[in-house]
Amino acid sequence: EISWAQLSAFCDTSRRCDARAAEELPVTGVDLDLVRDYAGWLSAQTGFTYRLPELDEWLRAAGRKPDPNRNCRINAGGVERGKRLVATDTGRANGYGLLHVFGNAQEWVNSETGPVAAGGAYRDPIEHCVAETARDHDGSADEMTGFRLVREVS
């Protein structure tokens, strides 16, 4: 997940967003146009090509086995989660080294039919924070949807 700390230089340069005080949290509350512009800006700054993943790429990287400690709504045996977003650097990494692929902030990805939000969000019941969860999304800003980027390699 892209954090507010990672987005802050783009916000300062473009003046299109305000980096939030909670730098460790995933970026949410921005629209898809800003995300795509950030990917273009990051590409120009680094000389690499960054973009949103395609759904099949996201599924491959996510894997099929969700972390049992994912940040999704659950209240069982005194364990309560899913009340708020948590820092992007917490939790257990999957086989690709990715954290919070399922839960926390659902993630924009490209699909054949347009943008979708994949993986479930912190407010979703834990059984919905899985690879099969992919919701159509109109690209507007909301507090549950974030993103991660793919860097193309050749």
Side-chain angles (χ1 to χ4, degrees), residues 14 17 31 34 56 69 88 90 109-110 116 131 154:
S14 70
C17 46
D31 66 28
L34 185 132
D56 63 329
N69 298 309
T88 61
T90 61
V109 299
N110 294 316
V116 297
S154 52

Coordinates of all heavy atoms in Angstrom, one line a residue, residues 14 17 31 34 56 69 88 90 109-110 116 131 154:
S14 N 2.8 19.0 -6.7 CA 1.6 19.3 -7.5 C 0.6 20.2 -6.8 O -0.2 20.8 -7.5 CB 0.9 17.9 -7.8 OG 0.3 17.4 -6.6
C17 N -2.9 17.7 -3.4 CA -3.3 17.0 -2.2 C -2.5 17.5 -1.0 O -1.5 18.1 -1.2 CB -3.1 15.5 -2.4 SG -1.4 15.0 -3.1
D31 N -8.9 10.6 -5.4 CA -9.6 9.9 -6.6 C -8.6 9.3 -7.5 O -7.4 9.5 -7.4 CB -10.5 10.9 -7.3 CG -9.8 12.1 -8.0 OD1 -8.6 11.9 -8.4 OD2 -10.4 13.1 -8.1
L34 N -6.0 11.3 -9.5 CA -4.8 11.7 -8.8 C -3.8 10.6 -8.7 O -2.6 10.7 -8.8 CB -5.2 12.2 -7.4 CG -4.0 12.8 -6.6 CD1 -4.3 14.1 -6.0 CD2 -3.5 11.8 -5.5
D56 N -5.3 -9.4 -13.0 CA -4.6 -10.7 -13.0 C -3.2 -10.5 -12.4 O -2.8 -11.4 -11.7 CB -4.6 -11.3 -14.4 CG -3.8 -10.5 -15.4 OD1 -3.8 -9.2 -15.3 OD2 -3.2 -11.1 -16.3
N69 N -4.2 -12.6 10.2 CA -4.2 -11.4 11.0 C -4.5 -10.2 10.2 O -4.2 -9.0 10.7 CB -2.8 -11.2 11.7 CG -2.5 -12.4 12.6 OD1 -3.3 -12.7 13.5 ND2 -1.3 -13.0 12.4
T88 N 0.9 1.0 7.1 CA 1.3 0.2 5.9 C 2.4 -0.8 6.2 O 2.6 -1.8 5.4 CB 1.6 1.1 4.7 OG1 2.8 1.8 5.0 CG2 0.5 1.9 4.3
T90 N 2.9 -2.6 9.0 CA 2.6 -3.6 10.0 C 2.1 -4.9 9.4 O 1.6 -4.8 8.2 CB 1.6 -3.1 11.0 OG1 0.4 -2.8 10.4 CG2 2.2 -1.8 11.7
V109 N -7.4 -1.5 -8.9 CA -6.7 -2.3 -10.0 C -7.5 -2.1 -11.2 O -8.7 -1.7 -11.2 CB -6.5 -3.8 -9.6 CG1 -5.6 -3.9 -8.4 CG2 -7.8 -4.5 -9.5
N110 N -6.9 -2.3 -12.4 CA -7.5 -2.2 -13.7 C -8.1 -3.6 -14.0 O -7.4 -4.6 -13.8 CB -6.6 -1.7 -14.7 CG -6.1 -0.3 -14.5 OD1 -6.9 0.5 -14.2 ND2 -4.8 -0.1 -14.7
V116 N -11.6 -1.6 -10.5 CA -12.2 -2.3 -9.4 C -11.4 -2.1 -8.2 O -10.2 -1.8 -8.2 CB -12.4 -3.8 -9.7 CG1 -13.3 -4.1 -10.9 CG2 -11.0 -4.5 -9.9
A131 N -9.0 -12.9 -2.1 CA -8.7 -12.6 -3.4 C -9.9 -12.5 -4.3 O -9.9 -11.7 -5.3 CB -7.8 -13.7 -4.0
S154 N 11.9 -4.7 -17.7 CA 12.0 -5.3 -19.0 C 13.2 -6.3 -19.1 O 13.9 -6.4 -18.2 CB 12.2 -4.2 -20.1 OG 13.3 -3.4 -19.7

